[in-house]
Amino acid sequence: MIYHQLALNVPLYPLLTYAYPTTLPAGTRVAVRFRNRLVAAIVWESDIQPEIDLSKIRPIENILSDGWQLPADWRALLSFTARYYHYPLGQAVMAALPKGLRQPKAVPLPKQEHIYSLNALGRIQPAPPARYHKQNALWQRLLAAPATLHQLKTIHTQASQYLKQWQQQNWIEASHIPACGSIPTSLHQLNQQQQQASAEVQTKCGQFAPFLLYGITGSGKTEVYFDIMANIMQQGKQVLFLLPEINLTPQLMQRVRQRFPHTVTTVLHSQTAAGQRTTNYLQAALGQAALVIGTRLAIFTPMPNLGLIVVDEEHDYSFKQESELRYQARDLAVWRARQAACPVVLGSATPSLESWYKTRHGDYQLLQLSERAHSNAQLPQIHLLDIRRLPLDNGISDIIKQKLQTNVARGGLSMVYLNRRGFAPALFCDACGHTFGCPNCSAKLVLHQHAGQLRCHHCDFHQPIPPSCPECGNQDLTAVGQGTQRIEEYLQHLLPSARILRVDRDSTAHRQDWSEIYHTIMRKEVDVLVGTQMLAKGHDFPHLNLVVVLNADNSLYSADFRAPERLFAELMQVSGRAGRADCTGEVWVQTRQPEHKVYQALAAQNYVTFATAELAERQELGMPPFSYMAAIRADAHTMHEAQQLLRQVQQGIEQQHALPANVNVFGPVPMLMARLAGYERAQVFLESKNRRDLHHSISLWQNWLLHLEKSNPHTRWLIDVDPLEM
DNA sequence: AGCACGCCGACT
DNA sequence: GTCGGCGTGCTC
Ligand SMILES: [Zn+2]
Ligand SMILES: [Zn+2]
């Protein structure tokens, strides 16, 4: 018997040993019995010396992927990912596979699509008589240009039958459809900066080279990506294009299809149906698709000819998975580019301070687009409106009211942005001061007027709006603050003739809603948009010329050291919506702290100044990117239990004096959101300037946690490397 | 994580 | 006497 190390979906750090009569190559998908259930597994290593009792080792039941293995570079990526994020390798491997490949069932490989063309003999044949009009149409189509079965089926569903006939006559030939296909020249003429950026990346083709493409909103980053992608794909290489889910819109896909009409493109995101995702994954893995577009999970797609990775909106937090395997796809993209020896382009109008810092140190090469791509498009004018002494009506000052009225009157499109859905963020008792909190979370319940409910935005708790205060019985309950619903209602009252549309998670609950909303806006059937982040990202409305930002100050009070960076990026993004194409835009930001660095940098529309100042502050405090961090978290029904496990580990390590001197430990402290979905959450931060020592310390903590978890059975724990949550 | 095993309270 | 509550421990 030959023994193999297998990756299975079990929460154990070591791999499991199974036997097979012959040596199976690493990367083979197999089915095995685990606890007497048939599950899928991936061969990680063959011909090993078992470290456990031979009697416990069971046989591999059968081999699932005949003739295809998960490639060595993919396995190296997962080994690295599991090690770096301190996550069980078996579970990491399974998280990187689409559902179809996690099942103990064989999956047929996608057949490479054929393209059919009439050969010389075929071309001199008479066309089928016109009375057989479907047959004739097929023939005419093939006469005009080669076509795929898929295309021919749109002419006649029985196309394959006739193709077979004609193939037997030796009139047509079938050939594999090329992954890349011909790429037509772009309709967009790149400006000088764009050309230069594209050229810089292309000179590094075939070698590891990380770039940060810093381009202001509207500077045409996408055209630059497309230009580089076209070049790389024409060399027969594959391109991986990552972007936040919210930006993966039908409009974006439309642009891709227009620019690369003959390129086999595959889309991978969490909304793709499971079966389709497996097919797409395999298409990329077999090199049949030249272009892979997807959200963070697409970083794990095997690509045999990877020639370029693009990460658009690289500052976006959605690249970090905040559960289970807590990977940062942007960072893994850089790792993969190094492994594949290819360029990687991270793009943003407000780069993450981590990436910006790396350009300062020459780790990443900086590419800048400082002009709007369309020379007639102006930057918006951003105004800060100090509301400390101004009367507000539903959170809106007179000046803003007038701005909105004027813009509606002259037929412009306005947007009122606030990052709070619902009617009001809190309900308050005037008599005793009682507020309604979520019983499961440390958060206030949000008033949803239309639904007649108080809802928690962090868990699924909800209750009917109470008629009176449960503390004192008072019936005068006041809705405090503004949510999008309330603003929508108020604006309808203020601007009775205006067509107002609210866009937030509540108004776009169904998949279709967004595209309907989008088209309504594009048909200019809306005067005022009210919405949250959804509205700020991913969609351009060329005729939008007034943006109003309400209640942004809330984020300034956060204890999270990344809050200013986040707010700045968010406000720059919202502001960038105003005045694209050929109309000048105006942005008005209501604030009580106009002197704050975030607002000052925003008004000046100066990312560089902001980043420089913010980095200086981070350096002073020894925060990332000037140090590396990891969070060890524990949760339990009581904060005491959660902190107890962490304290026990801390004491154990202290007694052994095992912690490297250059690793600092903070905590245990409650998380900023201390209670979530019924669990009290505590954490310890490990911080060091030395990555090796940090990781050594994490492993130390991990081993102690594995040892002490038995005596704390009600406490769960996890490790978050390079954490974003605080 | 599941899923068995096992040891005590409240049912027929 | 048994049914089932979940605390404990293992998984190749
Ligand atoms: Zn009260
Ligand atoms: Zn809650």
Side-chain angles (χ1 to χ4, degrees):
Chain A
M1 276 293 177
I2 309 288
Y3 297 104
H4 298 80
Q5 291 283 70
L6 304 190
L8 274 80
N9 195 12
V10 289
L12 301 171
Y13 283 89
L15 295 177
L16 303 185
T17 310
Y18 283 82
Y20 199 69
T22 60
T23 300
L24 294 171
T28 308
R29 226 162 58 82
V30 296
V32 295
R33 294 213 165 265
F34 175 75
R35 296 286 219 135
N36 219 20
R37 297 162 69 87
L38 200 64
V39 295
I42 309 294
V43 176
W44 217 251
E45 225 182 311
S46 317
D47 280 310
I48 56 114
Q49 285 299 321
E51 282 174 10
I52 56 158
D53 193 37
L54 294 186
S55 65
K56 285 187 171 177
I57 300 178
R58 290 160 156 274
I60 289 172
E61 301 282 330
N62 55 67
I63 297 164
L64 295 173
S65 51
D66 198 16
W68 183 75
Q69 282 96 246
L70 286 148
D73 61 350
W74 184 89
R75 282 178 277 125
L77 169 66
L78 275 129
S79 291
F80 168 77
T81 304
R83 205 167 357 105
Y84 185 84
Y85 293 104
H86 294 261
Y87 199 72
L89 178 56
Q91 289 195 303
V93 165
M94 290 303 162
L97 289 171
K99 200 170 170 206
L101 298 180
R102 290 197 301 256
Q103 253 41 64
K105 250 182 82 182
V107 173
L109 297 184
K111 281 200 216 74
Q112 196 163 3
E113 247 196 308
H114 284 95
I115 188 150
Y116 298 90
S117 55
L118 283 167
N119 60 20
L121 183 62
R123 284 185 175 276
I124 56 169
Q125 301 302 318
R131 63 197 144 99
Y132 304 133
H133 64 274
K134 291 269 181 168
Q135 260 189 73
N136 186 272
L138 283 175
W139 188 270
Q140 298 303 337
R141 175 65 182 79
L142 285 167
L143 215 48
T148 63
L149 182 59
H150 181 77
Q151 288 166 335
L152 293 173
K153 274 191 172 163
T154 62
I155 298 170
H156 186 22
T157 49
Q158 303 291 306
S160 59
Q161 182 194 326
Y162 297 107
L163 282 174
K164 202 175 279 175
Q165 260 180 41
W166 297 336
Q167 237 171 330
Q168 275 165 9
Q169 304 279 353
N170 195 26
W171 292 342
I172 59 170
E173 257 151 42
S175 54
H176 284 304
I177 186 169
C180 175
S182 70
I183 299 174
T185 47
S186 171
L187 301 173
H188 287 268
Q189 176 66 38
L190 298 189
N191 68 28
Q192 225 226 300
Q193 281 187 328
Q194 288 175 308
Q195 278 175 33
Q196 200 183 333
S198 173
E200 288 275 4
V201 178
Q202 288 178 37
T203 58
K204 296 290 173 61
C205 175
Q207 47 184 299
F208 171 60
F211 293 92
L212 176 66
L213 177 61
Y214 159 52
I216 60 166
T217 323
S219 60
K221 288 186 289 293
T222 308
E223 289 306 327
V224 175
Y225 304 144
F226 283 3
D227 198 56
I228 305 164
M229 283 154 61
N231 183 283
I232 303 264
M233 290 194 293
Q234 270 161 345
Q235 296 172 34
K237 294 189 175 158
Q238 292 175 292
V239 171
L240 176 59
F241 187 105
L242 301 183
L243 71 181
E245 172 128 39
I246 208 161
N247 295 75
L248 189 41
T249 57
Q251 289 72 45
L252 189 269
M253 289 315 297
Q254 176 71 21
R255 282 178 78 178
V256 171
R257 270 195 302 276
Q258 251 166 33
R259 186 66 218 274
F260 305 108
H262 309 299
T263 303
V264 183
T265 304
T266 207
V267 180
L268 287 159
H269 74 307
S270 53
Q271 306 245 321
T272 316
Q276 189 61 51
R277 204 151 111 195
T278 305
T279 308
N280 292 354
Y281 190 91
L282 288 169
Q283 266 185 351
L286 297 170
Q288 294 171 6
L291 178 54
V292 177
I293 300 180
T295 54
R296 63 167 181 265
L297 58 86
I299 192 60
F300 294 119
T301 316
M303 295 175 71
N305 310 311
L306 185 59
L308 171 73
I309 307 180
V310 175
V311 184
D312 191 22
E313 305 292 349
E314 67 89 30
H315 66 282
D316 198 281
Y317 290 107
S318 72
F319 289 117
K320 177 85 174 8
Q321 175 139 67
E322 291 292 7
S323 65
E324 298 166 337
L325 174 58
R326 296 175 170 254
Y327 63 96
Q328 164 57 275
R330 178 235 294 153
D331 297 347
L332 289 180
V334 176
W335 192 92
R336 260 195 101 165
R338 187 191 298 274
Q339 179 196 44
C342 75
V344 53
V345 180
L346 312 180
S348 176
T350 50
S352 65
L353 289 180
E354 279 79 4
S355 298
W356 186 252
Y357 176 70
K358 285 183 174 145
T359 65
R360 304 287 87 182
H361 285 253
D363 296 335
Y364 295 175
Q365 189 180 332
L366 179 64
L367 306 169
Q368 269 201 69
L369 304 178
S370 53
E371 301 159 7
R372 287 207 156 183
H374 305 272
S375 50
N376 53 350
Q378 300 292 307
L379 279 177
Q381 296 176 314
I382 302 182
H383 308 271
L384 303 178
L385 182 61
D386 186 349
I387 52 167
R388 276 176 290 202
R389 301 233 170 89
L390 298 180
L392 300 179
D393 194 350
N394 283 276
I396 300 179
S397 61
D398 287 342
I399 296 170
I400 298 301
K401 283 190 221 168
Q402 282 159 21
K403 286 279 165 199
L404 287 167
Q405 279 163 337
T406 313
N407 200 41
V408 167
R410 69 168 178 230
L413 175 63
S414 311
M415 170 159 105
V416 177
Y417 175 85
L418 79 164
N419 209 354
R420 267 247 142 87
R421 64 196 170 85
F423 185 84
L427 191 61
F428 174 84
C429 169
D430 288 323
C432 74
H434 176 77
T435 57
F436 294 79
C438 175
N440 307 323
C441 305
S442 22
K444 295 264 173 289
L445 292 173
V446 177
L447 178 62
H448 283 248
Q449 196 85 290
H450 303 310
Q453 283 179 338
L454 293 177
R455 286 188 196 164
C456 177
H457 283 186
H458 302 276
C459 72
D460 54 13
F461 181 84
H462 54 89
Q463 65 176 65
I465 299 174
S468 62
C469 174
E471 295 286 319
C472 70
N474 169 36
Q475 300 197 340
D476 285 327
L477 301 176
T478 310
V480 194
Q482 293 83 34
T484 46
Q485 290 178 13
R486 187 177 215 170
I487 296 296
E488 177 193 22
E489 214 174 280
Y490 171 67
L491 289 178
Q492 198 65 77
H493 158 79
L494 179 74
L495 310 159
S497 64
R499 295 160 298 177
I500 295 169
L501 187 64
R502 177 169 56 88
V503 182
D504 56 28
R505 193 131 52 95
D506 301 312
S507 71
T508 56
H510 303 286
R511 212 176 292 181
Q512 277 293 298
D513 294 348
W514 228 135
S515 68
E516 265 170 48
I517 287 171
Y518 179 78
H519 289 111
T520 310
I521 299 168
M522 292 307 274
R523 284 197 304 268
K524 305 200 175 181
E525 291 169 10
V526 179
D527 301 306
V528 182
L529 288 162
V530 179
T532 58
Q533 299 227 23
M534 271 205 139
L535 212 46
K537 294 181 175 182
H539 292 83
D540 269 340
F541 310 113
H543 54 300
L544 179 65
N545 62 338
L546 173 64
V547 170
V548 170
V549 178
L550 303 180
N551 298 359
D553 289 349
N554 291 332
S555 336
L556 296 177
Y557 309 121
S558 168
D560 183 347
F561 71 89
R562 277 185 243 263
E565 180 186 0
R566 203 170 300 172
L567 179 62
F568 180 73
E570 180 189 331
L571 294 181
M572 282 293 277
Q573 191 142 30
V574 181
S575 304
R577 299 293 105 178
R580 300 191 100 171
D582 49 8
C583 63
T584 344
E586 238 179 274
V587 179
W588 285 84
V589 182
Q590 285 197 167
T591 170
R592 290 196 161 80
Q593 298 188 51
E595 66 288 342
H596 194 282
K597 59 184 175 182
V598 168
Y599 293 122
Q600 286 302 314
L602 177 73
Q605 301 187 56
N606 195 330
Y607 168 80
V608 178
T609 317
F610 177 76
T612 308
E614 198 66 11
L615 276 177
E617 199 164 305
R618 296 266 183 99
Q619 182 163 29
E620 204 152 300
L621 299 171
M623 293 291 195
F626 295 90
S627 67
Y628 302 109
M629 266 174 99
I632 317 284
R633 307 217 175 93
D635 66 18
H637 289 297
T638 66
M639 183 54 80
H640 175 77
E641 283 176 287
Q643 294 203 357
Q644 179 169 275
L645 173 61
L646 296 176
R647 245 181 241 119
Q648 284 175 9
V649 173
Q650 199 172 18
Q651 280 161 13
I653 291 172
E654 263 168 29
Q655 276 164 21
Q656 290 197 335
H657 307 288
L659 204 72
N662 59 353
V663 176
N664 298 312
V665 183
F666 305 103
V669 289
M671 290 188 68
L672 286 187
M673 170 141 268
R675 188 172 161 78
L676 179 70
Y679 284 92
E680 299 285 347
R681 311 186 302 161
Q683 61 188 341
V684 162
F685 288 107
L686 305 182
E687 177 266 333
S688 178
K689 292 202 168 16
N690 183 304
R691 193 160 241 166
R692 275 181 91 89
D693 290 337
L694 175 68
H695 276 263
H696 172 225
S697 312
I698 299 170
S699 298
L700 208 61
W701 273 77
Q702 180 185 311
N703 292 335
W704 274 91
L705 284 162
L706 287 167
H707 174 67
L708 288 171
E709 67 182 0
K710 295 178 200 85
S711 50
N712 295 269
H714 300 293
T715 308
R716 308 181 298 185
W717 59 272
L718 62 89
I719 294 169
D720 192 356
V721 180
D722 303 328
L724 293 178
E725 270 185 83
M726 291 284 124

